[in-house]
Structure formats: C-alpha cells, structure tokens
Amino acid sequence: MEHEITLIVNGVPRRTGVPARRLLSDCLRHDLGLTGTHVGCEHGVCGCCTVLLDGRPVRSCLTFAVTVDGAEITTVEGLADADGGLSAVQRAFAECHGLQCGFCTPGFLCTVTALLRENPAPTEDEVIDGISGNLCRCTGYQNIVKAVHRAAELLAEEA
Amino acid sequence: MTTKLFGEPVQRREDPRLLTGNGRYLDDLGREALAAAFVRSPHAHARVRDIDVTAALDVEGLVAVYTWEDLPERVGRALPLLIPHPALTHGRTAYPLARDVVRHVGEPVVMVVAADRYAAEDACALIEVDYEPLKPVVGLEEAVQGAQLVHEDVPGNVGAHLVQEVAAADGRGAREAIETAPHTLAFRLDIERSASMPLEGRGVYARWDGRDLRVYSSTQTSTSVRMAVAAALGLPLPQVEVIAPDVGGGFGVKIVHPWPEEVLVPWAAMTLGREVKWTEDRREHFISSAHERGQVQYVRVGFDDDGRVLGLDVTILHDHGAYTPYGIIVPIVTSTQLLGPYKPGSYRVEFTAVYTNTVQVTPYRGAGRPQGVFCMERTMDKIARYLGKDRTQVREANFIRPEEFPYDQKMTFQDGRPLIYDSGNYPEMLRMIKELIGWDSFEAGPGRGIGIGCYVEGTGVGPYEGGHVQITSDGRVHVSTGLTSQGQGHETAFAQIAATELGVPIERVSVVTGDTRRFGYAVGTFASRAAVVSGNAIALACRKVREKALRIAADALEANPADLEIADGVVHVAGTPSAAVPLSTVAVLANPLRYAFDEETAKATQFAGAAAPDRPPVAEGEEPGLEGRDYYSPIRSTFAAGMHAAIVETDPDTAEIKVVRYAVVHDCGRLINPMIVEGQIHGGVAQGIGGALYERMVYDQHGQLVNASFMDFLMPYATEIPHVETGHLETPSPLNPLGVKGAGEAGVIPVSAVIASALEDAEGIEVNRMPISPSELFELRAARMG
Ligand code: FES
Ligand code: FES
C-alpha cells in the first residue's frame, strides 16, 4: 500500500506516494531524483546519507519516508545560497581540500552545517567530536577538520 | 610562461559539482532502469543441488530470474584469469553465477531482475536453494594441511609457488650466508585480512539500444571492462562503450574485472531489451568483492656487528581466498618490495599461495607492500634490539647510497621487468624524518614509545597510457585519457599539466577520464600510476599540439616557429607581443571549413582567403584540427620512497593505544599538485592506522565472515586518526619527461610497521602480529609477566 506524503525539501513542497518501508534515503534519491544524498552502508554507521530534518542532522537510511510526512528537509542540493553561490561550508571544503572522491562529502556538509549553526566557534575537540559520526575513506579527516575551522572563520567574517 | 601551474596547490576542479550534490555516481544514473539483486551463498563451501524459484514468481514487479543454467554458453564461462603467471600453476576463477559448487559465503547463485530493488530483494528471499554443505577450508594453517580441498582439482590447495633468489657477490645463496653470519635471528610475522572498503560499493548499469551497448561501471578500468564485456557477450568491440562515472573510492578493489555483475547486468539488459542496474550494498561488498593483506611470513636473517644484513630468507604463506582472478600480484609485490631502501647481501624469498573458502584476495592500496615492509622493518628493529643499537643506525647501515643509483635489485618486479630503482636519497630522507619527529631528543618511558618505518614503492607501472588533446575554435582545451578516477583529482592535476605545457589558463582546460567514447586505449588506475603514466602521455600529447600550433601560427605571423611562445592562450613572437594570434584562431586555421557557424569559423571557410590556392587545404602529412594524441610507455617502474615515524602512548590499565604524533617524509619526484599529494598521504596513513589498530576480517571456522558490517568492521573515524605532519623530498625520476613518481598508495604502506615499532619501544615487548587491539596488547603484557 502506498502512502501519500509531502516533504518540504530544500524549501520546495514535494508530494509523493511511498510504501511504508521506503527509506527516506531511497525516497530522496529515487522518488524525488535528489541523488546528492549518498548511501554508504544502509545501516546507520557511515553518515553518508545525513540530511537535515527540521534543521537537525539525521541518517536518512535509518528513517522511513512515511514517518517524516510534513517535515522540512535540507539535502546537499539545498546548501548553496539561493543564487547558487556555494555556502561557507562548501567553500571551506574546496579551499582546504576536504574531499577526494566526494562520496562522503554530502553527509559531512550537512553535519557540519548543523554543527556550526549550533556552535559557531568550535574548538579542535568539538570539531572532531562533531564529525565523529561520519566515515571518510579517502581524506584521513585532517583536511575536513581544517575545513570546519575555516568554515567557522568564513561564517564569522560574513556575519 | 605566465601559466606555469605545474607544482602549484591548485584548487580542485572536480569540487564544485561534488560539493553541490551534482556528482554522478553509478547509482545516481538510470532512474528508470530495472534493478538487479542476487541470491548469494550462505555457505562457505557447498554443492548446489537444486534451485526452486516458484515462490518468487508471484512477487509483484518481478521481471526475470536467472541461474547459471539459463546463461548462454559464452556468458556462463568461467571469468578470465587476468594476470597469468608461470608460477600460478593452478589458477582458478569463478563462474558469473555458481555452477554446481559455491566456494565462499557471498558467491552469487541466482540473479533476479525486477521493477525496483525492493521487489528484487523480495524475490531473492523467496528463492529456495538446496545446498549440500561441504567442509570449508578456513585460514592458512588449514589450507596448507590440504586435508580438505577448496577446488577438487587443486592438490594441497596450492595455487602458486615461487622462489626467487639473489645470491651474494661471492655467489653464495642467502641460506648459506645466514649460516655463516656472525649473528642470526628467526621469527614469524603475521598480518591479518582487511579490505579496500570504498564508501561507494561496486555497481553496474547497462543500456542496450538494439545495436550498441553502453555500460556504466564503478570501476578502476573502463577500457578493460569494455574488452571483457565485449568478449563475454560476443559483441564487436566498437559496439560496446564503457564509462566510469564519478567513482566513490576504489583503493584497489575496483581494478578487478569483469565482476560477475559486469557480465550479467549488460547481458540481462540485452536479453530483456531494458535498462538494468545493480548497486552493491555494504554486506555484498564485504562478502562478494575482494579482500587483501592476510599473510604469514617466516623470516631468517644473518647480519654482522654493524647490523648489516648478510643474508635474508623469507618464506611467505599467502591466502588467496577462493579464486585467483588477479593472479599472484600481491605476493609478488611483497616478495620484491620487501627490500625497501636496503641492499641485503643476499636474499631468498619463497611464497606459497593457497586457496581457502573465503572471499578472493586481490590488491588493496599498497598491494602486498604493507606486509613486505612489516617484514623488513621488523627485521631491522629486531637486529637493532639484538645489537643494542639505535634503530635508525641499523637502517642507515643497510641503505642503498645516493651514488649507487640506478640500483639493480636483480629481481623481477610485478610488471615482469627488472627491479631497478631509478633514483632516491635515503640517508637524506632519514635525516629529515628524524628531525621532523625529534628522534634524537625523544625520551621513551613506560607507555610511551617512538617508531619508524621505511619503504620504497615501485610506481607508474606500464604497459602504457595515452592522452588526447584538442584545442577547439573557442580556445578551449579538451584533454582525455583512458584511465579512470576515484578521487585522486586527475581533472585538476592533468589540467595543470596541459595548462603548463600549452600556455593556456587552466579555466580553459577540461579533462575527461575513464570514458571509452573519448579514449579507447588504456590500462587503468592502480599501482600509483596515473600521474606518472597518463600525466606524461598528456604532456607528450600537449607537446605535439603545441608544435603544430606554433607551425600554423608561424605561417600566419610570417615568423619562425622557434621565435614563438604561447602565453595566456595566445601565440606571439617572443619580445613582440603585438605580433600575436590566439590559439582559438590557430584552431580555426588548422581546420579548413566549407561551412561557417560563427565569426571565428567563418575565417576558415573557402572564400575567406586563408589558404594558398596552389596548395591543398590540408597539406600532405597534415591532419585537420588542432589536436594530438600520444602515449607514454615506461621502460620500467619508477621508485618512490618514504619514511614514517610515530609516537604512541599506551594506557597502563586498559592497554588503549593512542598515536599522539605521526610524521611522514615522502619523495614522489616532482610534485604536480602538493595539496593533492598531501591529501593522498593523509588518506593513506588513515587507512594504515585502520589496518594497524582496528580493521580485520573475522572468519569463524564455518567460513562465515562474522563482522561484515561497518558496525563490526572498525574503520577509523576522525577520533582515531592523528594529525599527520609531512615533509617532501624531491628526487626527480630520470625515467619520464615530467620527472614524476606515483603517490597514491604511499601513505598506507609502512604504517603497521611504524606502529609496531613504536609499541615495542613503549612496552618493551615484541609485536609480531598486526593489527593489534587493546585486548591483544593486554594479552602480550600478561604473557610477558608469565
Ligand atoms: S548510509 Fe546511512 S549511515 Fe551509512
Ligand atoms: S572523500 Fe571519499 S570517502 Fe570521503
């Protein structure tokens, strides 16, 4: 049986029918065509599938789409400014070489966006702690940590 | 040249799309495609008696179910043995779908195609396979006993056996040299299984339009997948195209091909006349792709009072898993690269590669080197300990000296060519790493130790790569090469090379990799070879184009080509900037036209007066267009090197191990983009830390992989990885025009050796097996206490 749901994705209301078992990650990727959200494990460990649900990072592979009917969701596609300019977090990742293959990147970007909203000037330990739920197999994290600090700097400059 | 970008930390050109969710990975493609899923063996070793699919037939959305018997003869053949070797006397490969016998948990038995993945998995769950379980062979010891066989026709489970020996200058063999050496030591060293584990798994998506087949695969070699698929499906090569889209990491595992799915998905697409896609899930990646590292190594060494190695005798047991599609590259690499920066007086190495009922073993970043380096560096540490010498002193006593290059190790490398080191400066590198970590001032204490590890890595193996460069009439430069990218930033590094060679702004250069429509000849991305082999091919292709551009511009400017230079995309007479013609115009002049599309192209049409009426529009020996293609085929590998050092602290109660400092000095010849090279090192070190402290594949006695998830296979998070301090040394390679060496695998290679070295220093106990967990350290402590 299909359930009609409405998700406000990146500010746009999207209606779709989903079976109860449809994962939010699959719904975003395959029903709504927003393939920027990636799936690295489908069991809640890697963080690739992280999206913002009403502003808070969640693992979309552990969320049934039907349970978030009516919610506001931000995916990596919604992080850039309205005019398409990259967000401070996105720019910092580019500047600091915080990505290689880019597969984990959308999850990190969403996580870090929420992290800096909550804590605009995190310490080194707070940064490491803040990203400690996301796996990256390419970068060794060093440049991701650097990018988070840099993003905080950019955000402060632009505030 | 105003556009000298070679060597600069240029920001990556692939990032904007990857940062905005606009990357295109395999599963992002083919939204309308049917989905494939597989029934995989739950047994490590079993005979398939019967397959009953009836219950699955009612699943809504089911399209097709295939077993081995349903495959045409050609499609159902055993997969190719990619790298045959005379020592691999009993090479065995799998069938795309199990034929009679399954030999590891995860082997595909039935393929299901359905409207979507949910339906396909529903159907898989309803298919009943009747297995007759056979006794599995798990672990090297059991394999070597040969009581049970993985393949009935492979006696003793031995797939390959190889002895290589380099005698001493006086002709004596290593064993003899050890017998008569002043000191000898013998020990066993173990490394456990791990795996590449890219965050994106494998995947294949195929489209058949009735005549042409297009296959997308998350692969490290699209050109070779293309040949393999064409062969398996009996299609003429020109009717098959293979594209590697954005790939979410490879680290070795994706060089294997054709995977069963790479044959079956295209075949199903042709058979059904529909698009078909398969995306690997994480559990599938654990149990049906490939692993590496697992090896047991017995070392005997004879040395003098200075710690100089007079004879080294290594016997390796290599666990191949169930099949050998990639041949015996891993133990060959261990055997040869074990030598590192050293020159033992004599060397004998013997390996036996055996089958077990586990996932097949193929290269993972480092490809046998981490095991070899662990062997050699443990040996150096043990000699130092025995003689009461500083560990760096013993290493130094064994180094190849800078004046000894090129240095012939007198062995055969993994490419079948002589193991001759082209260049390097190991004493200087040692000085740098000691300084970086503060070796001489370090004070070890209980629970605090320092360690070191050195390696040499043969990079940039052949046979070749090619590059194609085209400048179009809009002044843009289009570069393509056949090998693939999985995050190494090739679009940036290769654009830097092209921009530098051609004198154009990098913004005008675009790079395409891994698309057989653009470049059909290539080998693939592995063995730290892309920058070396494709990088040089692209540079050579650019030089051809440059020469042609200068020739045409010289004609137009009535100048001598030798007096011309290119800057900012404009050809001008040196010293006379006004006598100039932009490359866009040169491209127009290079291609005489009948039809115009815009103002630029109008200049090349037949009444525009550009061509001399008494000569053919395209001169003899010329070709239209401002483009060039060239290849680089290295005579042999070029040898990069590095030395790592670390400081670790251990907890006296919990035996927790913390890496507090990690330093790397690295020499990959000339750097194309230092930012990218550092990123490669960071990532490699992180994988090395994973392999040293956390990651292992745990099989139970039934051949079940009991930790086949990210929950239980412990890949490090940011919390586990130390900050890496790096230093670069540049000894250019004399072998290639750019003087570069490979950098992709470097970071991972010596980490287990370094951590073991530091732990020994901290704990005063011998560490002979990696990875090491806190509970294992605890047990080692307990054993010492007796
Ligand atoms: S895909 Fe959701 S956590 Fe890995
Ligand atoms: S950039 Fe490849 S996994 Fe993080």
Side-chain angles (χ1 to χ4, degrees):
Chain A
M1 190 184 108
E2 297 236 322
H3 305 267
E4 284 287 309
I5 58 168
T6 303
L7 307 176
I8 323 289
V9 186
N10 303 325
V12 181
R14 307 280 302 260
R15 257 185 104 65
T16 182
V18 289
R21 63 177 177 170
R22 193 88 165 145
L23 301 176
L24 177 58
S25 50
D26 286 341
C27 175
L28 290 169
R29 292 178 47 77
H30 303 308
D31 298 334
L32 304 182
L34 293 168
T35 54
T37 299
H38 296 154
V39 173
C41 70
E42 269 189 313
H43 49 253
V45 183
C46 72
C48 285
C49 65
T50 307
V51 298
L52 301 181
L53 178 69
D54 295 326
R56 304 194 148 267
V58 299
R59 313 216 154 195
S60 60
C61 77
L62 293 186
T63 309
F64 289 119
V66 73
T67 64
V68 294
D69 186 16
E72 295 246 10
I73 291 164
T74 307
T75 67
V76 65
E77 287 93 343
L79 294 181
D81 309 337
D83 61 2
L86 296 186
S87 75
V89 177
Q90 289 169 314
R91 274 177 283 142
F93 268 70
E95 207 180 293
C96 301
H97 189 30
L99 64 155
Q100 290 182 23
C101 79
F103 198 77
C104 69
T105 310
F108 272 97
L109 294 173
C110 288
T111 304
V112 171
T113 300
L115 171 72
L116 293 179
R117 256 185 223 150
E118 213 159 276
N119 182 357
T123 63
E124 179 80 2
D125 282 350
E126 285 169 341
V127 168
I128 291 178
D129 196 52
I131 60 169
S132 66
N134 291 64
L135 285 171
C136 172
R137 194 58 163 167
C138 296
T139 64
Y141 305 104
Q142 190 157 327
N143 288 342
I144 295 181
V145 172
K146 197 164 141 196
V148 180
H149 288 299
R150 178 67 185 137
E153 231 172 74
L154 289 172
L155 284 167
E157 279 167 24
E158 289 160 19
Chain B
M1 215 182 286
T2 55
T3 26
K4 203 189 156 316
L5 289 160
F6 191 104
E8 296 298 316
V10 173
Q11 272 194 33
R12 297 204 325 165
R13 297 159 58 72
E14 33 281 270
D15 288 354
R17 74 168 184 275
L18 302 180
L19 286 165
T20 50
N22 288 310
R24 286 292 170 265
Y25 301 84
L26 195 281
D27 191 50
D28 305 344
L29 308 168
R31 206 169 153 195
E32 303 304 322
L34 298 174
F38 292 85
V39 175
R40 297 182 184 274
S41 170
H43 297 285
H45 199 188
R47 192 172 301 283
V48 178
R49 273 196 294 236
D50 183 50
I51 301 173
D52 182 358
V53 304
T54 15
L57 300 178
D58 294 331
V59 170
E60 201 186 313
L62 180 77
V63 175
V65 180
Y66 303 111
T67 67
W68 181 82
E69 303 214 320
D70 300 317
L71 305 177
E73 189 275 329
R74 190 186 259 281
V75 176
R77 285 181 199 166
L79 297 166
L81 200 165
L82 292 168
I83 311 180
H85 187 286
L88 180 58
T89 50
H90 294 77
R92 293 292 178 273
T93 59
Y95 292 90
L97 291 172
R99 176 188 180 179
D100 305 331
V101 177
V102 285
R103 294 190 180 81
H104 66 87
V105 171
E107 192 161 348
V109 181
V110 185
M111 180 194 199
V112 170
V113 182
D116 69 12
R117 182 64 173 256
Y118 288 68
E121 291 194 16
D122 284 345
C124 285
L126 293 170
I127 291 171
E128 305 251 359
V129 183
D130 180 16
Y131 296 99
E132 176 196 335
L134 303 171
K135 185 140 182 8
V137 179
V138 185
L140 277 164
E141 272 83 7
E142 206 173 311
V144 172
Q145 282 168 15
Q148 301 292 329
L149 296 182
V150 176
H151 298 272
E152 267 172 23
D153 56 349
V154 180
N157 292 314
V158 176
H161 177 248
L162 183 66
V163 181
Q164 297 197 70
E165 174 129 36
V166 185
D170 61 8
R172 291 189 312 158
R175 289 186 165 169
E176 218 182 316
I178 294 167
E179 289 317 320
T180 56
H183 314 285
T184 60
L185 287 170
F187 41 91
R188 169 183 163 159
L189 300 167
D190 288 37
I191 297 256
E192 292 196 35
R193 268 193 188 212
S194 186
S196 304
M197 218 41 78
L199 282 192
E200 183 205 30
R202 300 176 293 132
V204 193
Y205 159 49
R207 282 155 52 169
W208 168 250
D209 67 7
R211 198 194 65 152
D212 292 325
L213 179 70
R214 184 183 296 179
V215 179
Y216 294 82
S217 182
S218 185
T219 180
Q220 291 175 225
T221 173
S222 47
T223 44
S224 198
V225 169
R226 179 191 188 206
M227 287 196 267
V229 168
L233 302 184
L235 287 171
L237 194 63
Q239 278 167 243
V240 182
E241 297 295 354
V242 176
I243 298 152
D246 284 320
V247 172
F251 314 113
V253 64
K254 293 179 184 174
I255 192 62
V256 181
H257 65 282
W259 292 99
E261 299 86 355
E262 277 173 332
V263 174
L264 295 171
V265 168
W267 172 74
M270 286 177 71
T271 306
L272 298 168
R274 302 277 303 273
E275 297 186 7
V276 181
K277 180 169 77 172
W278 167 74
T279 307
E280 185 178 58
D281 70 25
R282 187 51 55 187
R283 181 170 163 79
E284 287 183 294
H285 190 75
F286 271 100
I287 61 172
S288 56
S289 61
H291 302 161
E292 208 236 279
R293 299 286 194 261
Q295 255 170 215
V296 174
Q297 318 174 104
Y298 298 89
V299 181
R300 283 187 70 231
V301 60
F303 49 97
D304 66 14
D305 295 340
D306 294 324
R308 256 193 301 269
V309 175
L310 305 173
L312 180 65
D313 182 10
V314 181
T315 305
I316 300 168
L317 274 180
H318 175 81
D319 175 359
H320 245 311
Y323 301 106
T324 50
Y326 212 74
I328 45 176
I329 289 299
V330 172
I332 289 179
V333 170
T334 302
S335 305
T336 45
Q337 298 264 267
L338 188 147
L339 293 168
Y342 312 111
K343 42 172 187 183
S346 56
Y347 177 46
R348 180 184 191 278
V349 61
E350 168 175 2
F351 73 75
T352 307
V354 293
Y355 290 103
T356 58
N357 288 111
T358 58
V359 172
Q360 66 192 14
V361 166
T362 67
Y364 156 36
R365 195 181 205 171
R369 292 176 188 86
Q371 300 93 311
V373 169
F374 186 64
C375 235
M376 194 57 151
E377 295 300 299
R378 298 282 63 225
T379 303
M380 290 294 157
D381 281 359
K382 285 173 194 290
I383 293 173
R385 194 177 159 111
Y386 178 92
L387 295 173
K389 284 184 177 298
D390 183 274
R391 288 167 283 171
T392 59
Q393 224 181 334
V394 170
R395 285 171 168 82
E396 182 127 42
N398 286 286
F399 277 162
I400 295 162
R401 311 299 307 174
E403 60 278 9
E404 291 177 300
F405 290 95
Y407 188 84
D408 188 350
Q409 290 281 24
K410 304 207 172 68
M411 296 189 76
T412 303
F413 193 41
Q414 62 142 324
D415 50 4
R417 292 176 171 257
L419 184 71
I420 301 174
Y421 294 0
D422 52 336
S423 65
N425 188 345
Y426 309 140
E428 171 61 10
M429 191 174 259
L430 183 68
R431 192 196 59 71
M432 288 171 73
I433 191 72
K434 284 175 73 174
E435 189 179 303
L436 189 57
I437 197 81
W439 183 271
D440 289 329
S441 57
F442 180 80
E443 284 180 23
R448 191 173 154 81
I450 194 168
I452 187 167
C454 313
Y455 69 90
V456 166
E457 181 196 1
T459 70
V461 301
Y464 73 88
E465 289 296 333
H468 178 255
V469 177
Q470 180 185 27
I471 303 178
T472 44
S473 59
D474 52 6
R476 286 194 245 216
V477 180
H478 312 273
V479 177
S480 60
T481 186
L483 58 62
T484 59
S485 304
Q486 306 86 41
Q488 301 91 336
H490 295 150
E491 285 171 48
T492 308
F494 295 159
Q496 285 177 259
I497 292 172
T500 305
E501 292 287 339
L502 291 170
V504 297
I506 194 166
E507 296 72 34
R508 275 193 222 158
V509 184
S510 62
V511 176
V512 170
T513 62
D515 184 339
T516 62
R517 296 170 302 180
R518 289 289 298 275
F519 206 96
Y521 290 93
V523 185
T525 301
F526 57 92
S528 307
R529 67 190 296 281
V532 181
V533 196
S534 271
N536 278 292
I538 289 165
L540 293 171
C542 285
R543 288 173 195 182
K544 274 192 177 169
V545 175
R546 181 186 173 89
E547 195 204 295
K548 181 167 186 181
L550 294 185
R551 211 164 57 229
I552 295 167
D555 239 14
L557 297 168
E558 296 177 349
N560 183 338
D563 297 335
L564 298 180
E565 52 192 43
I566 315 179
D568 225 12
V570 179
V571 189
H572 63 92
V573 179
T576 320
S578 57
V581 53
L583 281 171
S584 53
T585 307
V586 178
V588 169
L589 297 175
N591 183 22
L593 294 173
R594 186 172 175 85
Y595 310 115
F597 312 102
D598 53 26
E599 259 176 57
E600 259 324 309
T601 48
K603 293 179 196 154
T605 50
Q606 54 202 4
F607 301 106
D614 53 345
R615 279 189 279 157
V618 177
E620 209 171 309
E622 287 282 8
E623 286 175 9
L626 187 51
E627 63 180 306
R629 175 187 301 268
D630 210 341
Y631 294 85
Y632 173 65
S633 180
I635 173 125
R636 53 181 178 268
S637 297
T638 171
F639 289 80
M643 296 182 192
H644 294 196
I647 296 174
V648 302
E649 286 174 4
T650 55
D651 187 287
D653 301 318
T654 63
E656 205 176 318
I657 301 160
K658 194 164 166 50
V659 182
V660 290
R661 278 190 64 203
Y662 202 98
V664 173
V665 173
H666 178 251
D667 182 355
C668 61
R670 290 183 68 205
L671 298 173
I672 302 170
N673 184 326
M675 177 191 83
I676 288 177
V677 171
E678 286 214 2
Q680 289 290 316
I681 292 171
H682 295 168
V685 169
Q687 279 178 322
I689 298 277
L693 298 176
Y694 308 105
E695 298 168 11
R696 69 184 84 203
M697 294 291 171
V698 183
Y699 277 97
D700 69 9
Q701 80 267 32
H702 308 294
Q704 295 291 341
L705 184 60
V706 296
N707 65 336
S709 83
F710 281 170
M711 216 83 98
D712 303 304
F713 177 82
L714 304 177
M715 295 205 318
Y717 289 98
T719 32
E720 281 73 47
I721 299 301
H723 183 88
V724 178
E725 304 157 56
T726 40
H728 295 289
L729 180 67
E730 290 192 37
T731 51
S733 171
L735 295 182
N736 62 70
L738 296 176
V740 296
K741 302 178 177 182
E745 296 169 278
V748 81
I749 294 172
V751 184
S752 278
V754 173
I755 301 295
S757 176
L759 275 174
E760 268 190 12
D761 194 40
E763 296 278 330
I765 48 179
E766 289 198 55
V767 178
N768 292 329
R769 161 183 279 272
M770 294 299 261
I772 182 164
S773 66
S775 48
E776 283 158 329
L777 177 57
F778 190 85
E779 278 160 27
L780 285 178
R781 282 176 180 172
R784 180 188 44 187
M785 307 305 257

